[in-house]
Amino acid sequence: MPSGTGLFVTFEGGEGAGKSTQIRRLAEVLRARGHDVVLTREPGGSPGAEAVRHVLLSGAAETFGTRMEAILFAAARNDHVEEVIRPGLSSGKVVLCDRFMDSSRVYQGVTGNLESEFIEALQRVAINGIVPDCTLILDLPAKAGLERARRRGAAGGHAGPDRFEKEELETHEKRREAFLDIAAREPDRCRVIDATRAEDVIAAEIVEVVWQRLAHPAAAKVAEAAHE
Ligand code: TYD
């Protein structure tokens, strides 16, 4: 099995889709049901990757171009995979990660205008065989997501939008479409979650999807292999 004996679940989607809230809620439910859960995020999640996170989100790397940013995301991801994700999966844990490889495909690949061959080559090195068992794509119109992200920023007293939040609405819409394209191409791994609904309704659907994967991880992997 590519990701060891545990279960690797990633959350993806645009800004303000509620990923952080939902991933926390899922972790609580799984822990209450007796699972050993690692809750992590990207960019970051390991000391090496957290050091790179600030460089990326502050916009300090922006002047060096999207290629440089993509390589930095990949460097951070590889450190995170080898230091946190792979060890967690090897010891049978459920690893929940807020953003992972699909964010690079979408943000750096599609809206960063980098060739998909370049992105996929970087990904191979970054993930080194660790592919998510299940990816939940939280989907909502870009405008609604940005409004939520801005409200959250103001309420939390944040300094302002980060490097990626600052971009135009049109760019955010393109990202939404790109996430939906990934889900359409990889239906066994990905599940689109309608994030316009009430928080409790979304949380219940996510628990159900992940619970199924925990009950039948092998079946999901066989289906994936047959699809390739
Ligand atoms: P973060 O503050 O963690 O917020 P959120 O996930 O709630 O949006 O910001 C992460 C930002 O980094 C986000 O705008 C997406 C971007 N990003 C990429 O561009 N590429 C990547 O590979 C990853 C993991 C994130």
Side-chain angles (χ1 to χ4, degrees):
M1 279 195 283
S3 52
T5 51
L7 191 82
F8 184 25
V9 181
T10 58
F11 280 60
E12 298 278 7
E15 316 296 327
K19 291 187 304 303
S20 314
T21 306
Q22 291 296 341
I23 205 167
R24 261 199 315 274
R25 289 186 62 149
L26 177 63
E28 275 167 27
V29 173
L30 294 178
R31 283 180 182 136
R33 293 183 185 184
H35 284 278
D36 211 342
V37 176
V38 175
L39 179 52
T40 188
R41 63 148 184 206
E42 289 206 352
S46 61
E50 288 290 332
V52 179
R53 176 183 172 90
H54 176 70
V55 175
L56 285 162
L57 297 192
S58 65
E62 194 177 353
T63 45
F64 306 117
T66 46
R67 255 171 198 271
M68 172 81 154
E69 286 183 311
I71 294 169
L72 287 172
F73 273 112
R77 178 158 305 129
N78 182 251
D79 190 69
H80 187 212
V81 163
E82 302 303 352
E83 297 299 320
V84 175
I85 301 175
R86 191 190 304 279
L89 294 172
S90 300
S91 56
K93 294 181 179 152
V94 178
V95 178
L96 306 180
C97 187
D98 192 343
R99 295 195 184 279
F100 192 61
M101 60 181 201
D102 299 309
S103 282
S104 282
R105 287 178 167 159
V106 169
Y107 283 74
Q108 283 64 57
V110 177
T111 57
N113 289 318
L114 292 177
E115 322 79 78
S116 60
E117 294 75 19
F118 177 73
I119 291 291
E120 294 309 317
L122 275 182
Q123 295 284 45
R124 272 195 296 283
V125 175
I127 68 174
N128 196 15
I130 300 289
V131 177
D133 297 298
C134 174
T135 297
L136 300 157
I137 296 180
L138 272 62
D139 177 60
L140 89 169
K143 193 164 184 291
L146 282 176
E147 275 161 14
R148 274 204 219 167
R150 277 173 194 147
R151 274 202 303 276
R152 176 187 64 193
H158 290 185
D162 71 29
R163 145 89 177 89
F164 298 95
E165 284 171 355
K166 271 192 305 200
E167 289 168 322
E168 296 299 322
L169 186 60
E170 193 190 330
T171 303
H172 290 276
E173 271 304 341
K174 255 196 214 153
R175 289 181 183 145
R176 179 189 189 194
E177 291 308 316
F179 278 120
L180 294 175
D181 284 348
I182 291 173
R185 280 201 306 275
E186 297 182 60
D188 295 317
R189 173 173 70 89
C190 301
R191 173 75 171 253
V192 177
I193 305 283
D194 173 1
T196 59
R197 298 169 301 166
E199 194 183 302
D200 287 350
V201 176
I202 299 169
E205 184 181 355
I206 289 174
V207 167
E208 181 56 31
V209 171
V210 173
W211 202 242
Q212 287 296 325
R213 294 286 169 146
L214 280 164
H216 310 288
K221 278 176 181 152
V222 169
E224 184 96 13
H227 199 77
E228 279 163 5

